[in-house]
Amino acid sequence: MPGTLYLCATPIGNLEDMTYRAVRTLKEVDLIAAEDTRNSIKLLNHFEIHTPMTSYHEYNKYEKGRKLVEKLLEGADIALITDAGTPGISDPGEELAAMCHEAGIRVTAVPGAAACITALTISGLPTRRFAFEAFLPSDKKEREYVLESLEKESRTIVLYEAPHRLVKTLKLLYERLGDRRISVCRELTKRHETVYQSVLSEAAAYYEQNAPKGECVLVIEGLNRQELVRQEQERWADMSIEEHMEHYLSRGMDRKEAMKQTAKDRGVPKREIYNYLEKQKS
């Protein structure tokens, strides 16, 4: 029988957040796959875990992933850990989990800390609906695609950022999203944990004067739904009613439905669109 892949969460700063189940699992599995063995050995030594360890990271995830899948198919149980937090969240753990599912190997989680959830819950911003984007892409085209989607995002946004890029990112977000509310969460679960609540423009100015330390999680207010509707209406207003109707008619929509959708887009009664079109005929 194949073994099991355990996705084991580890502390994001405070060692007391390590769960009893995570310690037991790491002691019982046959092998631990770690993002950085030099970093993880400190954690394992602290909890007196002597299980063999191997590296699994962004730069060997496919080659090493295949080897780990082979071991799992032979019956070995393997635990995957990241440097901090939950494997598979903004790290190559998602690739290994997908490979295991494809091979028919059981994948389970040993839950624990996750920086994105920790920051969201203490941010003071709405938590019911949120969009997690991890780090903004370094590739210019990919980053532009993400920023365009965030401009219209009505859910609370959660991003990761390194301290040396924080000010640049805050300025970019202010430029693209406007002066939305933000909570900058740093040093989560550690002694010097801070939550700086402000708006994007003020946050950028603050961290220019106060150099940040430690990894940061940015929790940003989503676009107000009324504002989103207003922006959509403004976009359609730049188009003539005839062009607006043709937009839907060319997609196979009948005239009645096209009028209904055009009126909805522009925030006006359908009768207004009908009367305008009839007037144009005469």
Side-chain angles (χ1 to χ4, degrees):
M1 292 289 291
T4 298
L5 175 68
Y6 295 88
L7 304 178
C8 284
T10 55
I12 58 176
N14 193 320
L15 288 177
E16 292 181 1
D17 291 335
M18 189 74 167
T19 68
Y20 290 114
R21 184 182 171 205
V23 172
R24 177 179 59 79
T25 300
L26 292 174
K27 287 182 176 181
E28 293 179 351
V29 294
D30 301 296
L31 180 66
I32 296 171
E35 185 176 11
D36 186 338
T37 55
R38 295 167 300 179
N39 181 63
S40 295
I41 193 64
K42 301 172 187 176
L43 177 75
L44 300 187
N45 286 341
H46 180 84
F47 290 102
E48 300 182 349
I49 298 168
H50 306 295
T51 305
M53 184 167 47
T54 188
S55 65
Y56 174 80
H57 48 72
E58 181 65 29
Y59 302 105
N60 72 355
K61 60 184 179 182
Y62 296 114
E63 179 184 358
K64 178 57 74 71
R66 287 190 289 270
K67 292 180 180 179
L68 293 174
V69 167
E70 288 176 6
K71 290 182 179 293
L72 286 157
L73 288 173
E74 291 170 359
D77 289 328
I78 298 177
L80 178 66
I81 59 175
T82 184
D83 282 350
T86 299
I89 303 296
S90 189
D91 81 359
E94 64 176 315
E95 302 286 352
L96 183 57
M99 293 169 72
C100 287
H101 280 295
E102 188 175 342
I105 296 166
R106 179 174 177 257
V107 178
T108 190
V110 180
C116 56
I117 298 299
T118 303
L120 178 66
T121 55
I122 66 175
S123 69
L125 292 171
T127 61
R128 189 176 69 85
R129 300 170 64 250
F130 67 95
F132 175 61
E133 281 291 347
F135 291 91
L136 289 176
S138 56
D139 179 81
K140 189 175 181 179
K141 287 185 178 179
E142 289 184 22
R143 184 169 64 251
E144 179 61 25
Y145 173 79
V146 171
L147 288 170
E148 282 185 4
S149 68
L150 293 182
E151 286 176 347
K152 298 178 181 178
E153 180 57 70
S154 62
R155 295 170 294 179
T156 300
I157 301 164
V158 183
L159 299 171
Y160 289 161
E161 192 50 278
H164 65 280
R165 291 195 302 266
L166 179 62
V167 172
K168 182 179 179 180
T169 297
L170 289 172
K171 288 181 176 179
L172 175 62
L173 292 170
Y174 170 52
E175 177 185 320
R176 298 299 296 267
L177 308 184
D179 220 7
R180 300 193 198 178
R181 289 188 297 159
I182 182 172
S183 291
V184 180
C185 305
R186 298 188 310 106
E187 299 288 270
L188 290 171
T189 76
K190 300 178 183 178
R191 180 179 297 177
H192 300 294
E193 173 182 282
T194 61
V195 180
Y196 178 76
Q197 296 177 308
S198 186
V199 291
L200 281 166
S201 61
E202 292 179 4
Y206 175 81
Y207 285 110
E208 273 191 312
Q209 299 299 318
N210 302 272
K213 296 180 181 179
E215 295 297 314
C216 305
V217 184
L218 314 182
V219 186
I220 306 162
E221 179 181 36
L223 183 65
N224 181 280
R225 291 194 180 188
Q226 291 180 337
E227 177 64 17
L228 183 60
V229 169
R230 186 189 66 78
Q231 288 186 8
E232 282 295 301
Q233 290 175 355
E234 284 184 355
R235 182 171 72 88
W236 290 116
D238 293 334
M239 185 184 291
S240 71
I241 291 177
E242 290 87 349
E243 290 172 333
H244 202 154
M245 285 287 293
E246 182 58 30
H247 172 78
Y248 290 116
L249 292 171
S250 64
R251 285 161 173 74
M253 192 177 288
D254 64 41
R255 185 175 173 80
K256 185 177 179 180
E257 282 299 311
M259 280 195 291
K260 181 179 179 181
Q261 189 60 49
T262 297
K264 181 180 179 182
D265 291 343
R266 301 172 88 90
V268 299
K270 187 174 74 172
R271 171 61 61 177
E272 186 174 318
I273 302 298
Y274 175 80
N275 289 340
Y276 172 85
L277 294 172
E278 287 299 307
K279 185 178 180 180
Q280 297 305 111
K281 288 181 182 179
S282 57

